[in-house]
Structure formats: structure tokens, C-alpha cells
Amino acid sequence: DYKTLKDRYLNHHSDNDDISTLCSSSALPQIKNIFETAMGNVNDNDMITIENALKKAKHEYDVLIDNQQLSFQSFQGYGSDYIKKAGYSPDGFVQMALQLASYRLFKKQVGTYEASQVRFFLHGRTETTRSVSKASEAFVKAMGLRVQQKHSETADKESREEKLTLLRRATESHSLYLKNAARGYGVDRHFLGLSLVADGDKQLPSLFHNPVF
């Protein structure tokens, strides 16, 4: 029903994207059943088959939803104002925090996706921003897999300054990538377009078989 459909809308990309989704969901009760004409030509036996298939799909979807679990912790130590005063991009700062957390969890950096807006362009939507980079790699490796024990005041000061420098480089590199992606200089959507164009060819270029791709 419409209420269930509205309640089951999923968060997608960002709160800004969800505003349009929320506006659309409020209009759902006024939307005419798009299958009404087609369903009028379905006989009783086929209708039973369709209804059973719908019930099965709904049950499997409910099971999938019930198997998901989410927990979170609200960090109140500081916010974007402090990060800006410290001279960092809040987005870049948080992305590097995620990189360090995943590095310490998985013992390596893993593929990370952040959506960037390409609304400079007609019908533009998103491009992929990759927060795994040479700069972020240097930062997380300097931070190490665990919190390092103190040795000497001089060594700690030098180590801290190095880490702050690497953090700044990593956040600046990420901000530049994000800005370039928003201006149409990203690579993911470009390669996706090339792969779709080449999909009809008998033999795809070796690039599209590379594990990195």
C-alpha cells in the first residue's frame, strides 16, 4: 500500500537528494495505478499467480530489511566550525578519519565511494569521488595500525607535526579531487560510458577486464 511504500523509502546519497524524494512520496496517494489498464486484461488464473508472486516478493523484502542492523555513536567532541578554524575542509577531514578507521580495521585501505554533485551540467547528477589516494595512504600509514606509545617529547613533536602535514595534504588532495569531479573531470562515469559504448563489441578492450577497473 501507499503508506508502506512511503515508509520504505531508502536514504540515497545525501539529505539534499532526499528532499525531492520526500516531496515525491507525499504525492504518492494521488498517483494513479500505472498497471490499471494492463491488469484489466488479466484473467483470474493469471491474477492469482501475480498476487502470489507479489506476496512472495514482499515477504522476501521484509526478511531482507529485518536482517539489517544499524548502530551509531554521536560524537560531540567538536564539529565543522572547529575543523574550519583549524584550516581543514570538514568533508576532507571526515573522509580521512574514515580512511584511518578502515585502515585500522581491515589492515589496509579499501575502496571508498563519495558522491560529488555535477549539477553544473544539464541533467548532471553525480560523479564518484575516491578518498583512497597516495596522499591518504601516506597519512594513514604515518598514523599506523594502532595508537602509538609515547617515546620522547622531541620525537613526539616531530611525529605530530609530520602527521598534521600529511593530514593537511590528504584533505587538500581530496578537496581538489571533489572539485574536479564536480566540474566533469572525474574518471568513473567516463569509464562507465566507455564500457557501455564498447559493450556491443565482440571483444572488449583489456582495460575493462582489469581487476582495478
Side-chain angles (χ1 to χ4, degrees), residues 58-150:
K58 182 179 182 300
H59 172 73
E60 291 178 352
Y61 184 75
D62 288 337
V63 171
L64 180 64
I65 293 298
D66 292 338
N67 284 337
Q68 306 302 311
Q69 184 176 5
L70 174 67
S71 61
F72 63 91
Q73 180 178 357
S74 178
F75 177 74
Q76 302 295 332
Y78 53 84
S80 60
D81 288 341
Y82 173 82
I83 297 173
K84 290 177 183 177
K85 288 178 181 178
Y88 299 99
S89 156
D91 174 71
F93 187 91
V94 171
Q95 288 297 325
M96 291 311 111
L98 292 173
Q99 285 304 304
L100 180 57
S102 62
Y103 177 69
R104 288 180 170 176
L105 178 63
F106 300 111
K107 308 296 187 293
K108 63 179 182 179
Q109 285 184 282
V110 295
T112 312
Y113 170 92
E114 180 187 7
S116 53
Q117 305 295 329
V118 288
R119 291 177 178 171
F120 289 112
F121 303 95
L122 182 65
H123 305 309
R125 193 161 185 269
T126 64
E127 173 59 278
T128 301
T129 301
R130 299 292 180 184
S131 47
V132 176
S133 64
K134 292 293 184 182
S136 66
E137 178 189 30
F139 167 66
V140 299
K141 286 187 174 180
M143 293 297 293
L145 291 173
R146 59 184 60 84
V147 178
Q148 299 175 2
Q149 300 298 322
K150 292 184 178 180

Side-chain angles (χ1 to χ4, degrees), residues 145-168:
L145 291 173
R146 59 184 60 84
V147 178
Q148 299 175 2
Q149 300 298 322
K150 292 184 178 180
H151 299 290
S152 69
E153 185 174 342
T154 303
D156 287 340
K157 183 179 180 181
E158 292 176 351
S159 176
R160 183 173 183 274
E161 289 176 350
E162 178 192 6
K163 291 172 182 176
L164 286 172
T165 298
L166 292 173
L167 173 60
R168 187 171 302 279

Side-chain angles (χ1 to χ4, degrees), residues 47-62:
M47 181 62 74
I48 293 174
T49 302
I50 293 173
E51 289 177 348
N52 289 336
L54 289 172
K55 289 179 181 178
K56 183 175 182 293
K58 182 179 182 300
H59 172 73
E60 291 178 352
Y61 184 75
D62 288 337

